Amino acid sequence: AELPPEVGQLVVLTGLARGVMNGTVGEVLAALGGDRWEVRVASAGPDTGGPHRSVSVRSRNLAPKPIEAGERVRLHSIIRSDELNGMTGRVLSTGAGTGRLTVRLPGGRLVAVLPGNARAVSGDCRGEHAVPPGGAPGAVRPPP
């Protein structure tokens, strides 16, 4: 089952009735209640009030952004090494041939994870410090 979006996650807008924004990448800003999410996207013209704007979108119109090398990700739903869940890191490679992402975690640890166990998130992981959720050493607590 697909996990619901989370604040800070990068998503692709899809299946919108007004197709002009389909395929646009945005950042989830907040849950608006029910099945709606506030998503920040790049503006599509000079009359939109700045370089970015927020739109309200239903969950069914949000798809996880495909992960690319160099992006920041948050790990989730890992069963065998559950201490990795919630940690953020930078993708070094997208696993050509292995089917796994190589992710550098804070402190330099490298892990190989399935793409389904990582979400592209906004921001920069430089300067993050370990705040162990549940005492897991080196884990980075997701923002509130």
Side-chain angles (χ1 to χ4, degrees), residues 52-74:
H52 294 93
R53 68 179 178 144
S54 295
V55 294
S56 172
V57 183
R58 293 187 186 281
S59 291
R60 70 173 180 256
N61 299 114
L62 298 175
K65 181 190 173 301
I67 297 171
E68 300 173 14
E71 288 188 303
R72 181 176 180 243
V73 294
R74 179 169 295 114

Side-chain angles (χ1 to χ4, degrees), residues 73-95:
V73 294
R74 179 169 295 114
L75 306 180
H76 67 86
S77 305
I78 298 172
I79 296 170
R80 290 193 179 186
S81 298
D82 64 348
E83 73 278 3
L84 298 176
N85 292 326
M87 295 181 76
T88 58
R90 185 75 58 193
V91 175
L92 299 181
S93 70
T94 55

